[in-house]
Amino acid sequence: MPIKRVIYITIGCVGLGLGAVGATIPLLPSFPFLMVAAVCFGKSSERLNNWFTGTNLYKDNLESFVHGRGMTLKAKIRMILVITATMALGFIMMGKVPVGRIILSIIWVFHILYFIFIIPTINDEEKEEKNN
């Protein structure tokens, strides 16, 4: 097995593990880790990719986004809350670095705008219809 494939599988498994934990713990985001898993499994193994895309973890968190349909309002709110909490922690820790606080604030605003205006919002019924 080529080393590149082993690296992708390893990173994919770590992403899957962190994403699964993030799906149950509110402070840890699941979306970015599951995206890493999806990309790595897609590049490493067709069998792993088919298995992963068949899991409820993938279907509930990534499928509608990957297919360009958007995210549910619940998923968007969860992501915005996690981003806000993470950025707030960084903001507090940068108490003596005003430039860092300004940059972090600008990044936070762009994240919020991205989730509100760029990523389409779909309702749960629409998500279920397109999954079937």
Side-chain angles (χ1 to χ4, degrees):
M1 185 181 300
I3 189 77
K4 188 175 183 181
R5 186 171 178 212
V6 171
I7 291 170
Y8 276 127
I9 290 172
T10 303
I11 294 171
C13 288
V14 170
L16 175 62
L18 290 172
V21 171
T24 58
I25 297 175
L27 189 59
L28 183 66
S30 61
F31 186 81
F33 295 119
L34 294 175
M35 282 298 288
V36 167
V39 169
C40 289
F41 289 156
K43 290 182 180 257
S44 65
S45 165
E46 184 177 339
R47 184 175 171 195
L48 267 175
N49 188 50
N50 290 339
W51 169 80
F52 180 62
T53 56
T55 64
N56 286 337
L57 194 59
Y58 174 83
K59 290 178 180 178
D60 293 343
N61 292 286
L62 289 181
E63 187 172 55
S64 59
F65 181 76
V66 169
H67 293 293
R69 294 189 298 259
M71 297 173 77
T72 63
L73 183 60
K74 181 181 174 183
K76 282 176 128 180
I77 290 171
R78 190 171 60 210
M79 287 296 292
I80 288 171
L81 289 175
V82 169
I83 288 167
T84 301
T86 305
M87 297 274 186
L89 182 63
F91 191 85
I92 291 166
M93 295 173 74
M94 289 188 185
K96 296 181 181 181
V97 186
V99 173
R101 281 183 156 194
I102 292 168
I103 293 170
L104 198 57
S105 298
I106 291 169
I107 292 170
W108 176 76
V109 167
F110 279 108
H111 271 96
I112 301 304
L113 293 174
Y114 178 77
F115 277 100
I116 293 173
F117 296 111
I118 305 295
I119 296 178
T121 303
I122 59 172
N123 59 30
D124 290 325
E125 294 83 26
E126 187 179 340
K127 181 180 175 184
E128 288 300 320
E129 287 174 11
K130 291 184 179 182
N131 284 341
N132 293 329

